[in-house]
Amino acid sequence: MHDMTSHGNRSGAIVAAIAAALLMVPFSAFAADEPVPGSSQGGSPGPAAPAEAKITTELPGKITVDNRSERTDLTARVRNGGTKDSGPIALSVVGFDGLRVTAVEGCVAIPKARLPQGSNSGFACVIDNLMAGKDRAYKVAATFDLHRTGKICLPVTVGASEKLIWQQGPVPFGTSSPTPNAPDTPLLLGTDNVPFGPDTPPAAGDLPRTGAPDDVLPLGLAAFALLVMGGAGIWWTTRSER
């Protein structure tokens, strides 16, 4: 019992230390590997990817957007496919362009003034440890302006450091066949959206373009929240690439 209590105290201290650390995590959006079926599409290991704790993220291959409310929901998942526990890590869920993240269950919002350059919304999820062979799912609520394109990004960093171990995206959701008169519009992961509207009629015969977009810009993103004096204040930092 004493050993279990000590272990719990140590784990709690690690999580508290991470949550109290103000980190600046500069990284560039990695070019994705060749698109493959599956929800890790658009993802690449970071320079600090550990050999034994294989951390990846997953997104659904298809989401559905309500054409009236523009609301959608999805599940973002972080997985440890390795043989060693991850230790403390952090997952961020960040929206770009027409895709705006409005809530992530169990996570904290990134203040608007501290969002990564080019993004419109984001949430951070601190994970004390992810055991080997396990995964953790987060329910994500979002809106998608179907008159625009939209992307999502899932970076993962390790511990109280500046080490990026995985990044999925920014990867687009979209369709080449808009359905403005239907109740909803299905969007596919890795597909650039063809906006609909009075000035943007659907393009006939176009095939979806999958994989990461060629014009992804570098972005700076802090991986953890700073909990100030035990209060609810949360600070994030960004740093532009030089």
Side-chain angles (χ1 to χ4, degrees), residues 5 31 35 45 49 55 58 66 70 76 83 85 96-97 105 108 113 120 125 148 187 192 198 202 211-213 227:
T5 302
I55 306 299
E58 296 178 354
D66 184 295
E70 297 186 336
T83 58
D85 291 2
F96 291 82
D97 305 327
E105 186 177 29
V108 293
N120 56 44
C125 314
R148 304 169 61 189
L187 303 180
D192 288 327
L227 306 181

Side-chain angles (χ1 to χ4, degrees), residues 8-34:
N9 291 339
R10 287 195 299 271
S11 297
I14 291 172
V15 176
I18 292 172
L22 182 62
L23 302 178
M24 298 182 70
V25 183
F27 62 87
S28 297
F30 284 84
D33 296 331
E34 288 298 315

Side-chain angles (χ1 to χ4, degrees), residues 118-219:
S119 67
N120 56 44
S121 54
F123 285 75
C125 314
V126 176
I127 303 170
D128 59 341
N129 183 53
L130 190 58
M131 296 177 63
K134 300 295 183 180
D135 63 83
R136 188 170 298 186
Y138 293 90
K139 294 181 180 179
V140 179
T143 60
F144 196 110
D145 182 352
L146 293 167
H147 295 84
R148 304 169 61 189
T149 59
K151 302 181 184 72
I152 192 169
C153 186
L154 303 181
V156 182
T157 53
V158 60
S161 71
E162 300 180 356
K163 299 178 180 179
L164 181 73
I165 57 178
W166 172 267
Q167 181 176 316
Q168 184 173 7
V171 62
F173 274 103
T175 178
S176 60
S177 302
T179 56
N181 298 320
D184 52 46
T185 295
L187 303 180
L188 299 178
L189 180 67
T191 301
D192 288 327
N193 191 49
V194 175
F196 70 77
D199 299 323
T200 54
D206 286 351
L207 296 175
R209 289 181 295 161
T210 59
D214 295 332
D215 59 348
V216 170
L217 297 177
L219 58 94

Side-chain angles (χ1 to χ4, degrees), residues 21-89:
L22 182 62
L23 302 178
M24 298 182 70
V25 183
F27 62 87
S28 297
F30 284 84
D33 296 331
E34 288 298 315
V36 296
S39 55
S40 288
Q41 183 177 354
S44 295
E52 297 178 326
K54 298 184 183 300
I55 306 299
T56 60
T57 57
E58 296 178 354
L59 289 164
K62 177 181 176 181
I63 62 174
T64 300
V65 178
D66 184 295
N67 283 347
R68 295 187 63 181
S69 68
E70 297 186 336
R71 293 178 181 175
T72 185
D73 57 71
L74 56 96
T75 298
R77 190 179 302 273
V78 58
R79 184 183 301 277
N80 182 354
T83 58
K84 182 180 179 181
D85 291 2
S86 70
I89 60 175

